[in-house]
Amino acid sequence: MEKWVYSFIEGNREMKALLGGKGANLAEMKSIGLPVPSGFTITTKACNEYLAKGSELWEGLKSEIFRHLHDLEERAGKKFGDELNPLLVSVRSGSAISMPGMMDTILNLGLNDQSVIGLAKETGNDWFAYDSYRRFIQMYADVVLKIDKYKFDIIFDRVKNENGVDEDTKLSTENLMQIVKEYKNLVLKENRSPFPEEPKDQLLIAVEAVFNSWMNPRAEIYRKINNIPDDMGTAVNIQEMVFGNMGNTSGTGVAFTRNPSTGEKKLYGEYLLNAQGEDVVAGTRTPKDIIELKDKMPRVFEEFVNVCDQLEEHYKDMQDIEFTIEKEKLFILQTRTGKRTAASAVKIAVDLVDEGKITEQEAVMKVEPDQIEQLLHPTFDPEMLEQAEQITQGLPASSGAASGQVYFTSEGATEAKERGEDVILVRTETSPEDIEGMVACKGILTARGGMTSHAAVVARGMGKCCIAGASDIRVNEKEGYFIAGEQRFKKGDFISLDGNKGNVYKGKIQTEKPELSGDFSKFMSWVDQFRVLKVRTNADTPKDTKQAIDFGAEGIGLCRTEHMFFEEGRISVVRNMILSREVEDRIRALDKLLPMQRSDFKEIFEAMGSRPVTIRLLDPPLHEFLPEEKEDIKKLAKEMDISVAHLHSVIEDLGEVNPMLGHRGCRLAVTYPEIYKMQVRAIMEAVVELKNEQNLEVIPEIMVPLVGELKELQYVKQLIIATINEVLMESQTTAKYLIGTMIEVPRAAVTADKIAEEAEFFSFGTNDLTQMAFGFSRDDAGRFIKEYQEKKILEKDPFQQIDRPGVGKLMEIAVDLGKKTREDLKLGICGEHGGEASSVEFCHLLKLDYVSCSPYRVPVARLAAAQAALRFPKHK
Amino acid sequence: MEKWVYSFIEGNREMKALLGGKGANLAEMKSIGLPVPSGFTITTKACNEYLAKGSELWEGLKSEIFRHLHDLEERAGKKFGDELNPLLVSVRSGSAISMPGMMDTILNLGLNDQSVIGLAKETGNDWFAYDSYRRFIQMYADVVLKIDKYKFDIIFDRVKNENGVDEDTKLSTENLMQIVKEYKNLVLKENRSPFPEEPKDQLLIAVEAVFNSWMNPRAEIYRKINNIPDDMGTAVNIQEMVFGNMGNTSGTGVAFTRNPSTGEKKLYGEYLLNAQGEDVVAGTRTPKDIIELKDKMPRVFEEFVNVCDQLEEHYKDMQDIEFTIEKEKLFILQTRTGKRTAASAVKIAVDLVDEGKITEQEAVMKVEPDQIEQLLHPTFDPEMLEQAEQITQGLPASSGAASGQVYFTSEGATEAKERGEDVILVRTETSPEDIEGMVACKGILTARGGMTSHAAVVARGMGKCCIAGASDIRVNEKEGYFIAGEQRFKKGDFISLDGNKGNVYKGKIQTEKPELSGDFSKFMSWVDQFRVLKVRTNADTPKDTKQAIDFGAEGIGLCRTEHMFFEEGRISVVRNMILSREVEDRIRALDKLLPMQRSDFKEIFEAMGSRPVTIRLLDPPLHEFLPEEKEDIKKLAKEMDISVAHLHSVIEDLGEVNPMLGHRGCRLAVTYPEIYKMQVRAIMEAVVELKNEQNLEVIPEIMVPLVGELKELQYVKQLIIATINEVLMESQTTAKYLIGTMIEVPRAAVTADKIAEEAEFFSFGTNDLTQMAFGFSRDDAGRFIKEYQEKKILEKDPFQQIDRPGVGKLMEIAVDLGKKTREDLKLGICGEHGGEASSVEFCHLLKLDYVSCSPYRVPVARLAAAQAALRFPKHK
């Protein structure tokens, strides 16, 4: 028979899934001899069963609860609801993972008009008894009966006023008795039935309320955001009360064993005398620094410090502890691993190793990979942030904080930058044409597009703050303003972007530059010891390349050659090339681009030294390089000396219904072989020059995008090899190189055995693979993906985290088939997922050789890779 | 050691792959005792070896050829190149599958200035010897030396003129000698070297020419179109000459054993006296009906009839035979299974069964599935077609023939139809807005789009002729004209479309209506006996439904509910629905659509009787229902009483970068559940009404499109079931139904085990699955898919024929996973591939339950299914 209830002495910290975090830790603390009041835990399974039964408590569970309650009575020598010596309990929820939105604590449960008299008599403290009673009624009414708290506050404050009392503790017992009476009337009025007097009813109703709170919207949203399954359920902890409100020798408080913001090894917390739990956080009384307790109650303080040490020693991590002092006796009510900032996380991990408390491996597991990026970007001045007015929210597409004046066009942004302004580029969505403006700005805000929209990808690549898909704003680029809510922001107005949260604020907020501590380097050096996956970067410019090396990149996994095409002075040559009617004209334009690309590659190779560099040949459809706006088309026509009508018709001809599935990638090479020829020539000439000039041997990895069929790769490969041979012949030299392909088309995944016949490496292009596997256009999916998440159809945005059952399955098929054909096939990933922790773990499990991500995600990927290796050591 | 050459007496008809069709059949005929001149065959493997060796004949092969030549000399008692009694041979190519563009026949090889004298002496016929010689030089120069034939014709005609001769046979021996002399001079001049005198050189050069012709462009294109592998190679047949040009007791001819156009059982062919092979087809002399030979040479004719009977008996099929008569002796030079029209194919198959020559199974294998559709559509008057001027070509997107006046807009087409005109709708591409024009017209011509473009799909559904992607034409819809080559066709001009070939002709060509014979029904009844796959139809209207039943459809596999939305009087309600800002307004509009859809479903169910009907809920993105043109937007805004600017911004908001991967399919149901609710209600109310009114029990199969994830289907399914229960509750009745999904998103295929938990059936949407598996937008791929085929990267357009290694693999994965979860999972296909023979075969191999295709492809699918079942009986 299923056991639904566990006494604290039956559990331990390994039983989190069953007892919840709170229950498991209470049992654990009990077992190591800490002063924890007795109690028991109703399991998370009972919660699921309750929900499955249509939210009804069943007899079996009820009798088990009462059996444990009886044990508690025996142990305490008190009786639940007794008129003489009543047992009071607290009821608290506790799931395996702590979660906001769940039902709050109920204290002092078991009080009614009879037992309050018993409590008063037994303690000899009437004031305390009625203070506890009024607290209980209010709390119970609030969290169980859903009667608004402020209605009780009105009564409480009125009584205080009427009696000229300014502090709660100065109310008389009579005042409290009056308050209790009025509270009960309020409940009767609001609830249309009296306050439940029977303690057992109070208890069962409270248990139901905890269970029901598992399904409340806030908790549900939290679970969705944090990827917590709904069937985890919550436990309920029922514990004998201890009282911080028995006068000035009693009190309550919370403390962290170290500073959660800086990591400093120093007790950090607050307490209040003659108070119960919620008073510390309620703000009606100002709590005191925990350090002051040393003077007030030296013996209790010393005991508390010892408990803190013992808990840190036991849990091997910084703890967040709740305690109560009842007549100078210390009780510990909760401990949990404390939340912390990224900086603190790193410092604590390093310190704990230095203190000999944990190993380097354990230290590596203590920092969240996604957190670490915070350390690399500017942050807002916290005080100014507090004052700021939030005007809208979008997707946190690229981390960091940026403040500046808004501009709506690439030119506008560039000119403002030249005037020395800090610029925020605001657009409905960005396109490759906006690249100069994106370079010039501090941050980017778009109204459309998701986490992998053009703006998001480019911004992350640049390590620049970006908020994408802020769908509530309306941007009018032409007239130079955007509207958020009722407010209109015009060219030059200040706004501030928090790229970590996706929040947009009005006005200017000071930003602070990040400083990387010595602890950070130490920590990352451990990280690198343990990981198996190599970490490369996606970088298209020498600047990005250098940045990535600073962040620990071991090579370039994706150098997108098209970004080079957008630079000033080049785009018009590119357009000339595209608009050529004859192959000869196209080749003439390509000849002009050749030296430019060659010198780009040379600089990147130089920066990378002996590290591997994967270069992707041209990928986007050609129409992406042509202007869309009427004005720009006119300008270009003039520049090119052709008629506007003709240019228009060419642009229209190149237009596509679904450009994502159109004439792009290696399909371009099949129809315009001369483009890839030029690119390959540029790569190899750069290789040859570096060999001759600097004796630097570069082994370029030439990557063909969008391959879906072996013969396609064969066609392009022979083209590449012929060009390479031409260059080597001309320069009378030799050079090594690899030719491989992206796996981004589902067909490539399922025919990977064939494709591996020609490809020396695979690089998973998980952005496109996700688009095609799901049939989601990342430019358009924003419109329904949110709703999909809200309706729990998708747990996570698959563009952020690799969808293991679908996209992951295709990857697995490709790896298996590819290795069957070519045992030493080199495997990597260069989609945006390469810098996301869960996806990196998946790549580790797939035994890829490397992940590649934007420079600022490189440390994230390094840490995620190390954690994956430690978690799954067999996959080395 | 490899044997490269086979004597005719060493081969048989099973050796087609090695000896080519011609060689294998010559050997076969020899083996059954027919009068076939002796000879030998150089194998197809030798051809491949030759090409692999860089187009060089090697010693081993040459000596084997000469050894067989020597045997031939022995057997004939003649000597190759002899001055007294020379052996002459013919050299003919012959691959396993007959193919245009390959090298033609060379006759009389072995003649030179010496041996011609020997031939004259031996036969006592100088005229014959020099007639043979001049023929040989011209043929050899043409096909081997690539000297234009007409240059010889000029000489020949001049000599005829100079001598006042009107018929070739009336030239004197001296004339012929002069011609020979002039021919040889011409060769010397054109070829810069003399005509090869040495017979062995003549032979080897000719063999090389045959091998090389395997790689000539026409042959390559033919192979590509017909899916023939390049490494099949061609054989070369070398055969002792027999002579039809030895006077009026000699002759040559070709004949079919039955009429290849009608199938009538009557010898059909032509002959010429005193002639050699090419004279019959050259057109310089008019050949005589084969029947006349009966009077001219009764004995020979009787022998020939016997040979024909013997060959039909032996090959069990209508034969296409070449023969030569040398001095009243009959020789058979070739036999092959004769090409035939669809009508003839069916009649011959049925007759052969009636004659007891073949079984019904064999009969079913004798008709090409793709051919059969011809029987269902109108055809052009063949004589008028011959005269017609072709102006362009596109893809043969939907079969049939249509002639009419061109219109460029839906309105224009509709009005012209009302005036009684036959209309051809010409557009750059069609969109759902054009539906009325498509209904009104006889045929559709588009400049863009492939075999599965909107125009193609809709036209096939309607059984209407369509040519899509005629990329050479430029259509100007606004000004009402299109340009093909140098010609401009304006509104009201006549053109004619041949949907079977994709040819577009200028002017009007008479069309003839099809008549289905009794043989057709008999044949199709056999077909239905043998097939395992069920055949359903894709039909959206009662009219299509009835048509499909006439063609043998066993149910509806795909009823697209959106097509119903475009009908007049509905589209404005639909637009109202889309443009509603509040759910209430949307529901009000949907309430208006409900009775319309209900009555559609009722009519369709009624037409289908007890046959199953699969209804797909709304699939296309909503913006497809909104107008695109400025004028139309203005009109709609007025109609809806909203501002043009507002309407414009709504349309822009709904616009998508990649609509194919956008907000459509069941994604619509997640964001606008009320749309599917209305559709399900319409379906179920129709079911209930038919039950109550007619006692007809319909079991609708409700199909959810674009599912990619189990939870998505779960969400939509509960919505559907809730609505069904509502309807059933209201009407106090019960009804059966199935709920299933399309498998058209790659992720659905690889997670099909999960999806089958909720889906009672899968229907493969191979159009979209192909788009997503390849990453090809079918609207855009036209631009590069041709080049892909030309460069041999793709053998076949995957939108026409299921790509087995890629898309097929995904289908296989889905079938395996799906059946693992649900053994009795119902499986079908409703993509365009459901009516294509090879794809139907693949579906049979996958053990699907049914294929579904447009009404006019139903007979094609039935036949293809039967052939697949006969070919792969184990897959029952």
Side-chain angles (χ1 to χ4, degrees), chain B residues 121-226:
Chain B
K121 274 190 191 152
E122 176 64 21
T123 58
N125 191 336
D126 287 359
W127 185 92
F128 152 70
Y130 282 93
D131 184 57
S132 300
Y133 197 17
R134 64 97 188 165
R135 286 173 188 271
F136 170 54
I137 297 171
Q138 181 172 7
M139 251 185 281
Y140 195 92
D142 172 26
V143 301
V144 177
L145 307 178
K146 310 281 175 213
I147 303 172
D148 276 343
K149 214 176 155 206
Y150 80 92
K151 293 179 178 167
F152 293 91
D153 288 342
I154 289 170
I155 294 170
F156 193 74
D157 290 345
R158 203 201 66 234
V159 175
K160 268 166 82 179
N161 276 337
E162 284 170 3
N163 295 283
V165 165
D166 58 350
E167 276 186 40
D168 298 359
T169 47
K170 295 192 178 150
L171 282 164
S172 69
T173 306
E174 287 66 36
N175 295 156
L176 292 170
M177 289 168 84
Q178 185 196 338
I179 286 168
V180 164
K181 202 174 152 196
E182 289 196 31
Y183 276 8
K184 293 182 79 176
N185 284 336
L186 179 63
V187 169
L188 180 63
K189 199 179 124 218
E190 291 282 328
N191 209 35
R192 287 161 196 267
S193 74
F195 188 83
E197 285 282 319
E198 170 51 44
K200 286 188 177 176
D201 290 349
Q202 292 173 356
L203 182 64
L204 293 181
I205 296 170
V207 170
E208 287 197 87
V210 173
F211 284 164
N212 291 334
S213 74
W214 180 253
M215 299 310 287
N216 97 13
R218 232 180 110 203
E220 290 199 5
I221 288 169
Y222 183 86
R223 287 200 292 277
K224 198 178 61 196
I225 292 171
N226 291 280

Side-chain angles (χ1 to χ4, degrees), chain A residues 176-401:
Chain A
L176 293 170
M177 289 168 83
Q178 186 197 338
I179 288 169
V180 164
K181 203 175 150 193
E182 291 196 28
Y183 276 8
K184 294 182 75 174
N185 284 336
L186 178 64
V187 169
L188 180 62
K189 199 180 122 216
E190 292 281 326
N191 209 34
R192 287 160 198 266
S193 73
F195 187 83
E197 284 284 317
E198 170 51 46
K200 288 189 176 177
D201 290 348
Q202 292 173 357
L203 182 64
L204 293 181
I205 296 170
V207 169
E208 288 196 89
V210 173
F211 284 163
N212 291 334
S213 75
W214 179 253
M215 299 310 286
N216 97 13
R218 234 181 108 202
E220 290 198 3
I221 288 169
Y222 183 86
R223 287 200 292 277
K224 197 178 63 197
I225 292 171
N226 291 281
N227 212 0
I228 299 168
D230 282 337
D231 63 359
M232 190 174 251
T234 182
V236 187
N237 299 293
I238 293 162
Q239 189 174 25
E240 187 186 349
M241 279 301 300
V242 290
F243 301 98
N245 57 342
M246 290 183 85
N248 283 331
T249 57
S250 300
T252 189
V254 295
F256 290 84
T257 56
R258 299 177 192 235
N259 186 316
S261 168
T262 65
E264 195 189 357
K265 194 187 174 184
K266 199 181 146 196
L267 211 54
Y268 179 94
E270 319 173 301
Y271 77 100
L272 272 176
L273 291 186
N274 198 14
Q276 269 194 330
E278 78 281 13
D279 297 342
V280 179
V281 287
T284 44
R285 291 166 62 191
T286 307
K288 310 237 181 268
D289 189 322
I290 188 83
I291 299 305
E292 293 178 25
L293 190 62
K294 194 176 182 176
D295 293 333
K296 282 270 187 226
M297 301 188 203
R299 206 189 43 75
V300 171
F301 183 76
E302 199 193 324
E303 193 189 346
F304 183 65
V305 168
N306 287 339
V307 166
C308 287
D309 286 349
Q310 200 182 340
L311 282 171
E312 259 207 2
E313 187 66 42
H314 189 72
Y315 284 99
K316 296 182 186 304
D317 206 346
M318 181 257 270
Q319 295 295 298
D320 170 0
I321 299 166
E322 288 179 21
F323 64 94
T324 283
I325 304 161
E326 182 180 310
K327 294 189 188 163
E328 298 222 336
K329 180 161 168 38
L330 177 70
F331 291 94
I332 305 298
L333 297 182
Q334 181 171 331
T335 190
R336 58 185 171 190
T337 297
K339 301 223 151 146
R340 63 203 78 178
T341 62
S344 159
V346 170
K347 179 164 170 47
I348 290 173
V350 170
D351 286 352
L352 287 172
V353 172
D354 288 348
E355 293 161 23
K357 285 188 177 141
I358 60 173
T359 63
E360 292 170 0
Q361 282 93 328
E362 286 166 333
V364 165
M365 298 307 289
K366 285 208 185 300
V367 179
E368 280 291 319
D370 285 338
Q371 249 186 339
I372 221 155
E373 197 187 340
Q374 291 173 20
L375 297 178
L376 315 176
H377 292 290
T379 50
F380 283 131
D381 177 297
E383 274 173 40
M384 284 186 76
L385 183 61
E386 199 138 301
Q387 307 300 322
E389 179 193 344
Q390 185 176 337
I391 53 170
T392 188
Q393 196 181 23
L395 300 168
S398 181
S399 293

Side-chain angles (χ1 to χ4, degrees), chain A residues 141-194:
Chain A
D142 173 25
V143 301
V144 177
L145 308 177
K146 309 280 173 213
I147 303 173
D148 277 341
K149 213 176 153 206
Y150 80 93
K151 293 180 177 166
F152 293 91
D153 289 341
I154 288 170
I155 294 171
F156 194 73
D157 291 343
R158 205 200 66 235
V159 174
K160 268 166 80 179
N161 276 338
E162 285 171 2
N163 294 283
V165 166
D166 57 349
E167 276 185 39
D168 298 0
T169 47
K170 293 190 178 154
L171 282 164
S172 70
T173 305
E174 286 66 37
N175 294 156
L176 293 170
M177 289 168 83
Q178 186 197 338
I179 288 169
V180 164
K181 203 175 150 193
E182 291 196 28
Y183 276 8
K184 294 182 75 174
N185 284 336
L186 178 64
V187 169
L188 180 62
K189 199 180 122 216
E190 292 281 326
N191 209 34
R192 287 160 198 266
S193 73

Side-chain angles (χ1 to χ4, degrees), chain A residues 93 242 267 344 395 447 525 666 674 693 721 747 753 788 813 864 866:
Chain A
S93 69
V242 290
L267 211 54
S344 159
L395 300 168
S525 77
C666 63
E674 50 282 359
E693 292 164 11
I721 291 181
R747 193 180 187 280
D753 46 347
Y788 263 57
I813 290 172

